[in-house]
């Protein structure tokens, strides 16, 4: 799988990861969890590593932690989780709980979820980074109405990562946030690459355009992900899935060629119809 540089460290990150919102919020049974174990197996076998989760996602952090522990694959994962609460002490308690649930002494990326009380959490994140409990720091949001605030926070502090909403029918970040991330050396994780699933559901009944083959795409999911990965400021996309066959499909977007300017135009024209 292709890898891209995290500007603040020079570390190379695989371009396709896995989101866990809703899809990893499952019960304790083997029937609930076996497909998710296979999702992670497919991700790792394809050379991927990024798993994005949050204390907001119900049981997801614990499910990820259990699956990595039982498969012995913690060292293959780049774990990105979040702090999503108000107040310094509450943030500390939540992050301690996340480490327990994820069954690890160190997360790769700690993000302030939806910028919630970010000023209160930042000193803790910095202290934990210095102690080695967190490797990298970031912020997230998922909606255009928060982009002005996201921009201000990106300018205010030196973040390693920003996570934001970007999809073929949701391109507001192209105006200011992606150029700003490139300018300030902030790695970009794209959430909701299928518009939360809605964009993909609309496209699935349509036949795949013949020109998809020119960039090695055999599905709409791959086309949508390659559109995003064609942007030079994007580091990684994290489509959410609980299905191994969908993960197998999505990782293909991490291989082969990306669309050039002419192909990007064709893609946007196709969506406009
Ligand atoms: N504020 C934040 O920090 C924030 C906000 C939103 C999301 N996120 C993160 O970003 C991740 C991605 O966003 P998202 O999950 O909301 O939306 P998404 O990735 O745009 O879409 C997920 C949906 O697409 C389906 N899907 C995935 N791969 C598919 C394929 N190859 N073919 C057909 N269907 C496919 C999934 O269903 P199946 O399970 O059936 O595959 C799921 O319903 C989240 O999981 C979460 O980790 C963060």
């Amino acid at each position: 799988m292709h890898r891209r540089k995290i500007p603040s460290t020079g570390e190379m990150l695989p371009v396709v990861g896995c989101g866990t919102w809703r899809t990893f919020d499952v019960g304790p049974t083997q029937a609930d969890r076996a497909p998710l174990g296979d999702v992670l197996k497919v991700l790792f076998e394809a050379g991927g590593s990024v798993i994005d989760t949050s204390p907001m996602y119900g049981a997801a952090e614990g499910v990820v932690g259990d699956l990595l522990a039982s498969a012995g694959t913690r060292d293959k994962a780049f774990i990105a989780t979040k702090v999503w609460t108000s107040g310094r002490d509450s943030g500390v308690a939540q992050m301690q709980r996340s480490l327990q649930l994820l069954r690890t002494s160190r997360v790769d990326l700690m993000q302030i979820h939806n910028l919630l009380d970010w000023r209160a959490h930042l000193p803790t994140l910095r202290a934990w980074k210095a102690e080695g409990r967190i490797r990298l720091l970031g912020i997230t949001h998922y909606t255009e109405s928060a982009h002005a605030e996201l921009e201000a926070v990106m300018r205010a502090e030196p973040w390693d990562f920003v996570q934001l909403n970007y999809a073929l029918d949701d391109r507001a970040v192209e105006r200011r946030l992606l150029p700003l991330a490139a300018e300030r050396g902030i790695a970009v994780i794209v959430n909701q690459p299928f518009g939360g699933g809605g964009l993909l559901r609309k496209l699935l009944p349509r036949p795949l355009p013949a020109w998809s083959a020119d960039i090695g795409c055999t599905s709409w999911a791959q086309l949508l992900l390659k559109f995003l990965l064609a942007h030079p400021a994007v580091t990684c996309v994290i489509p959410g899935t609980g299905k191994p066959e969908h993960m197998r499909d999505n990782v293909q977007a991490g291989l082969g060629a990306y669309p050039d300017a002419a192909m990007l135009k064709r893609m946007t024209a196709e969506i406009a119809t």
Side-chain angles (χ1 to χ4, degrees), residues 18-23 52-53 56-57 82 111 113-114 140-142 163 190-198 200-201 204 219 221-222 238-243 245-247 249-250:
C18 183
T20 64
W21 184 47
R22 292 186 298 208
T23 47
D52 179 74
T53 188
M56 189 208 232
Y57 303 162
K82 311 191 184 87
Q111 305 156 104
H113 200 148
N114 294 349
T140 79
H141 221 294
Y142 70 103
Q163 185 187 133
V190 170
N191 64 38
Q192 299 190 310
F194 303 141
L200 191 51
R201 273 193 300 277
L204 283 175
S219 71
Q222 293 166 29
I238 49 164
T241 185
K243 301 204 172 103
E245 64 274 23
H246 286 171
M247 192 74 248
D249 181 9
N250 298 343

Side-chain angles (χ1 to χ4, degrees), residues 2 4 15-16 215 225-227 229-230 253-260:
H2 294 301
R4 290 194 183 156
V15 295
V16 179
I215 49 166
L225 296 177
K226 282 207 168 185
F227 174 85
L229 287 167
L255 308 172
Y258 289 104
D260 60 12

